[in-house]
Amino acid sequence: MRTDKKHNNASAIWLQITAGQGPKECGWVVARVTELLLTEATDLKIKAEVIESVAFDKLLRNQDLIQPLEYLSVLIRLEGANALSLSNDWTGTIRWHGLSPYRPKHKRINWFVGVHRVNVDNSTSESIDKLKTEVQFSACKSSGAGGQHVNKTDSAVRLVHRKSGIQLRVDADRSQHRNKAIALERLQILLNEQNHQSKSESVRNRWLKHYEVDRGNPTRRFQGEDFNEV
């Protein structure tokens, strides 16, 4: 039986990694944390997909040719038996101790990023089956630097929710079927946020996550150019 039909699984966890109001160095740390988290997920046989990413440099946003080296935020979806445990290991503040890769003479040597859980209250969420009747899908080319195979197929999907006007683009997987399922799940999360507050407040609060990085009591600590954990 194909496992990609079971996307809206209760074991799915969404994490947002954010540089907060930190400088470009923190954006670099977000990229390193993303790489490590995805590697750990693979080792634990957890399905991990980057659903959204915002480049730190504004000029690198809304383009597909250059892979950013720093991110303002990254949204990751985890699914599997160990997804909750992995998310608990990462949720909180991450500290990197090292010299700036951009400003070697900078006196600061501690850089902080945040990892936040994106929660969904399923008791009030719109059902996926209902949402399927309220959206329109269209296929589009998948994005990705370097001419990867994923760029050559119409596997990405664009979702438009007619009732709310929300539009989403998902190219996390080479399977269009999976991307549609993930888009519906993402829509479910956004609509759930709006059920608790107005749309403007929902968007505002989501982006405020970029500025909420607690520098006390880091969950995990790393140091040096090789980003070794201590």
Side-chain angles (χ1 to χ4, degrees):
M1 181 175 63
R2 291 175 56 128
T3 57
D4 61 357
K5 292 184 179 180
K6 292 188 176 181
H7 247 299
N8 302 297
N9 193 304
S11 64
I13 304 290
W14 294 68
L15 293 177
Q16 183 182 44
I17 308 171
T18 173
Q21 286 184 299
K24 192 171 185 177
E25 289 85 352
C26 292
W28 180 83
V29 175
V30 168
R32 304 289 81 71
V33 168
T34 299
E35 292 174 358
L36 286 178
L37 197 156
L38 294 176
T39 298
E40 285 193 19
T42 299
D43 293 341
L44 293 171
K45 302 187 185 305
I46 297 170
K47 180 68 175 180
E49 298 158 303
V50 174
I51 306 303
E52 293 178 1
S53 61
V54 179
F56 193 92
D57 293 326
K58 293 182 178 179
L59 292 177
L60 295 182
R61 299 174 191 174
N62 301 317
Q63 58 84 41
D64 301 328
L65 298 177
I66 302 175
Q67 184 71 35
L69 298 178
E70 311 87 14
Y71 291 95
L72 179 62
S73 72
V74 176
L75 185 65
I76 296 177
R77 182 187 186 277
L78 304 173
E79 183 179 351
N82 298 310
L84 179 59
S85 176
L86 178 64
S87 69
N88 289 338
D89 287 343
W90 282 98
T91 299
T93 300
I94 309 300
R95 187 192 75 180
W96 177 64
H97 179 88
L99 296 176
S100 165
Y102 309 106
R103 299 174 290 173
K105 296 183 180 180
H106 198 285
K107 294 182 180 180
R108 180 175 171 180
I109 56 175
N110 289 313
W111 315 88
F112 300 87
V113 304
V115 180
H116 306 278
R117 175 90 174 265
V118 179
N119 292 307
V120 179
D121 182 359
N122 290 318
S123 64
T124 60
S125 294
E126 297 278 0
S127 72
I128 293 297
D129 288 339
K130 181 180 178 182
L131 291 179
K132 287 179 180 178
T133 67
E134 300 175 349
V135 303
Q136 179 179 345
F137 281 110
S138 59
C140 53
K141 295 290 185 182
S142 294
S143 62
Q148 301 168 0
H149 170 73
V150 72
N151 291 337
K152 301 175 184 178
T153 63
D154 292 327
S155 58
V157 298
R158 179 172 286 105
L159 173 154
V160 177
H161 185 234
R162 293 185 290 269
K163 188 175 180 180
S164 67
I166 292 175
Q167 298 185 37
L168 298 173
R169 184 181 185 279
V170 175
D171 62 353
D173 197 271
R174 292 185 180 182
S175 165
Q176 188 180 105
H177 175 78
R178 282 181 61 83
N179 286 332
K180 285 183 177 180
I182 292 172
L184 285 167
E185 189 174 342
R186 182 76 181 109
L187 174 63
Q188 187 183 43
I189 290 174
L190 293 174
L191 291 175
N192 186 66
E193 290 177 352
Q194 292 184 17
N195 285 338
H196 290 85
Q197 53 195 309
S198 70
K199 181 177 180 181
S200 60
E201 288 177 339
S202 174
V203 173
R204 175 178 177 273
N205 287 341
R206 181 180 173 220
W207 283 98
L208 279 177
K209 287 294 185 182
H210 292 306
Y211 306 106
E212 297 174 0
V213 176
D214 183 1
R215 297 186 179 186
N217 301 317
T219 301
R220 300 180 74 162
R221 302 171 176 84
F222 300 87
Q223 68 178 17
E225 294 181 3
D226 295 331
F227 216 78
N228 296 314
E229 188 162 13
V230 295

